[in-house]
Each structure stands twice: as C-alpha cells, then as structure tokens.
C-alpha cells in the first residue's frame, strides 16, 4: 500500500499514448470478475436443472458418471466465456467493446476535472516529469493511423485518468450521451497499490461535478452482480439500487436503464443511480 496525497492527483482525459497503460490497469482491476459472473450463473436453480437433465442424458451414452457430469459444465463454461460481454469489467457497460482510440483526447491543452483537495490544501499538483522518449518503431506501433471522425469521437465516450507524477494510477469511463441529462459510469478502476486511499471516490465525485455543471440530473452506474465491493462503494457515495424505492414505478426514464443480461436472461449487473 502506498500513501497517496490526493491533492497531487491530476484527473485528465486519456490520450492515445495512455491507452496501453489504461488497458493494463483495467486488466488488473477486472481480474476474476468474469469467473465470478460465470459461477453466479452456473449456480442459479434453472441452470442447475438444465445441467442435471443433460448429465442424465449423457449418462445413458457415456459409461462414466464423472464425464457425464463434467462435459455439460465444461461446454457451458466455454459458451459463457465466448458470449459474455467483454466489457462487463468492474462496473459493466452496455457495449461489447470499448473504442479506446475514438475516446482518446486530441487537444493540445489537457482537459481536466476539478480536484477539490487542491482547493482545500492550497497546493498545486507537482509538475509532470517528461514522458520517456519513444523511438520511431515504437511510435509507429503506439500511435494509431485510424481516421477519427467527430461522430465516432462523440459515440466513443470519454476516459478520464488519474495522473500522479506522470503515473496513471486510476481511471473512470463515461459512456456517450444517449439520453439528455443522463450520465453513465461504466468503469472505475484504481491501481492495486492505491486502493482504500479515496482515489475511486475522488474520480466518481469529480466526474459527478462535471456532469452537474453540464446540466445532467442523474448518473447511473452498473455493478457486476457478485461484486459486493462495488455495491458498498456506490452506496457510500449516495447511490441507490434500482428496484429498492417505491417511487421508481412512476419514473419512466428509469425504466430505460436495464441491467445487462446473460445466459437464460440472468442479470449480470445491478443498476445504481444517483440524482444530482
């Protein structure tokens, strides 16, 4: 665990040369999430019943009880691995994959989120160290030659990274605006060395402030179904789970936000929301 001074964190838009670092951070943060979701589906009553039926049929064809039991489970796990949304991640997302290149920031001046800790402490973040030099071969490899149209950039959404002395220690993903006045957080990840330091809370609350200033009145976040950590995290930040309130039945807008569903229609995510 590393002691983190939050007033030294700069939250800025992801640039194209940050993509690999962000992907590595996402991979680290999402480790085990997919397996937990698969286990969640495999242990549902209807799924267990279907597996038992197939095992009974195979028992008549295969003279091994263990094989008859293992083959349906193995095939279902392979099926779920192939069909499960790749973007479920830490908070879930409605899209099958994220357009990292399209969501990269291309401005010359960094676009940043407000850091309230800087205002409280009166300090300014330490000046960034120069990025390492990139050789011609590496540059050709890292920088994409894809054409980025305004339409693609708008549809790709935004990625904000927590930068501390040129080290990317966290990130938060915001999906593109599909409904007016609605923001949607789909991923929030912090580096393993910087957890329980308030970084995740800082990322979410700073993005909420930006959404509030831009006119949004509600923010949604999807949490993978078996993730108790994500659920507790958002509840502490004032989010409520969809389905817990009695006043939600008359809210037509909220009915448009549905959880992701997987095999046999079982939900993969829980929907949380917060009115700004």
């Amino acid at each position: 665990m590393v002691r983190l001074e939050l007033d030294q964190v700069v939250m800025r838009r992801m640039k194209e040369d940050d993509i690999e670092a962000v992907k590595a951070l996402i991979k680290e943060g999402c480790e085990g999430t997919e397996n937990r979701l698969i286990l969640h589906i495999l242990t549902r009553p209807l799924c267990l019943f279907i597996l038992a039926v197939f095992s009974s049929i195979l028992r008549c064809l295969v003279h091994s009880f263990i094989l008859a039991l293992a083959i349906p489970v193995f095939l279902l796990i392979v099926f779920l691995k192939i069909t499960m949304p790749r973007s479920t991640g830490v908070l879930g997302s409605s899209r099958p994959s994220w357009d990292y290149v399209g969501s990269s920031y291309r401005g010359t001046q960094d676009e940043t989120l407000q850091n309230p800790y800087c205002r409280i402490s009166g300090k300014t973040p330490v000046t960034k160290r120069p990025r390492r030099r990139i050789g011609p071969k590496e540059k050709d490899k890292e920088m994409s030659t894809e054409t980025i149209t305004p339409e693609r950039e708008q549809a790709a959404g935004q990625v904000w990274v927590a930068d501390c002395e040129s080290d990317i220690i966290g990130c938060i993903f915001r999906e593109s605006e599909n409904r007016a006045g609605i923001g949607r957080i789909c991923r929030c990840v912090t580096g393993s060395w910087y957890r329980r330091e308030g970084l995740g809370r800082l990322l979410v609350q700073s993005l909420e402030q930006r959404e509030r200033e831009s006119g949004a009145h509600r923010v949604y976040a999807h949490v993978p179904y078996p993730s108790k950590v994500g659920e507790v995290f958002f509840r502490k930040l004032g989010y409520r789970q969809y389905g817990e309130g009695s006043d939600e039945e008359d809210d037509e807008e909220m009915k448009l936000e549905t959880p992701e569903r997987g095999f046999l229609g079982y939900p993969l995510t829980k929907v949380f929301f917060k009115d700004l």
Side-chain angles (χ1 to χ4, degrees):
M1 187 72 68
V2 177
R3 182 63 183 173
L4 178 66
E5 295 184 10
L6 293 176
D7 56 2
Q8 296 301 306
V9 175
V10 176
M11 291 166 290
R12 59 174 178 82
R13 287 281 301 278
M14 178 189 72
K15 294 185 177 181
E16 198 164 335
D17 54 357
D18 298 323
I19 291 178
E20 293 306 316
V22 171
K23 284 184 176 180
L25 197 64
I26 290 292
K27 183 178 180 180
E28 177 189 1
C30 298
E31 187 176 7
T33 301
E34 186 179 84
N35 292 333
R36 287 193 293 271
L37 283 171
I38 289 175
L39 181 62
H40 165 72
I41 293 174
L42 288 175
T43 54
R44 298 306 94 194
L46 180 57
C47 187
L48 290 173
F49 175 75
I50 292 175
L51 288 174
V53 170
F54 275 96
S55 294
S56 300
I57 296 173
L58 279 176
R59 186 69 182 88
C60 300
L61 304 174
V62 180
H63 298 292
S64 172
F65 174 76
I66 296 177
L67 282 178
L69 189 64
I71 289 175
V73 175
F74 174 76
L75 292 176
L76 182 55
I77 290 175
V78 172
F79 173 77
L80 292 174
K81 283 277 188 180
I82 295 173
T83 59
M84 185 166 289
R86 297 268 73 80
S87 61
T88 302
V90 176
L91 297 182
S93 172
S94 62
R95 61 181 69 184
S97 61
W98 188 270
D99 185 358
Y100 285 90
V101 176
S103 59
S104 300
Y105 182 65
R106 289 167 180 78
T108 54
Q109 188 74 22
D110 281 346
E111 186 178 356
T112 61
L113 297 175
Q114 293 182 10
N115 186 338
Y117 289 93
C118 293
R119 186 173 63 251
I120 295 170
S121 67
K123 298 179 182 179
T124 55
V126 176
T127 305
K128 296 180 183 180
R129 296 192 303 265
R131 294 182 181 273
R132 68 177 179 87
R133 292 182 178 274
I134 301 175
K137 293 183 179 179
E138 291 181 84
K139 188 171 183 179
D140 292 340
K141 183 179 179 181
E142 290 192 14
M143 301 304 290
S144 173
T145 56
E146 297 180 42
T147 302
I148 309 300
T149 62
E151 291 77 15
R152 177 180 174 182
E153 194 170 356
Q154 177 66 25
Q158 299 174 350
V159 181
W160 298 86
V161 299
D163 188 323
C164 185
E165 298 182 356
S166 292
D167 291 329
I168 295 179
I169 59 177
C171 60
I172 187 168
F173 288 45
R174 179 199 179 277
E175 286 205 347
S176 55
E177 296 180 9
N178 296 320
R179 305 198 299 274
I182 299 298
R184 198 167 190 266
I185 299 171
C186 56
R187 277 180 180 169
C188 180
V189 184
T190 59
S192 58
W193 290 97
Y194 301 95
R195 291 172 186 167
R196 300 187 183 278
E197 293 287 329
L199 181 59
R201 181 177 66 249
L202 175 62
L203 282 166
V204 172
Q205 291 181 337
S206 297
L207 186 57
E208 287 175 358
Q209 179 62 29
R210 183 182 178 84
E211 293 296 314
R212 189 180 292 110
E213 292 173 355
S214 64
H217 64 271
R218 178 175 291 168
V219 175
Y220 287 99
H222 285 225
V223 178
Y225 212 88
S227 175
K228 296 297 182 182
V229 175
E231 184 176 338
V232 171
F233 172 76
F234 277 98
R235 288 189 187 278
K236 286 183 177 179
L237 291 177
Y239 284 74
R240 292 185 293 163
Q241 184 178 347
Y242 175 65
E244 291 181 341
S246 57
D247 56 338
E248 298 170 6
E249 296 180 358
D250 300 327
D251 194 331
E252 294 297 328
E253 193 282 322
M254 192 173 293
K255 294 178 181 178
L256 300 176
E257 194 73 18
T258 57
E260 289 186 59
R261 296 188 179 276
F263 182 65
L264 297 177
Y266 284 115
L268 299 178
T269 62
K270 296 178 182 179
V271 179
F272 286 79
F273 69 95
K274 181 179 181 179
D275 292 322
L276 301 178

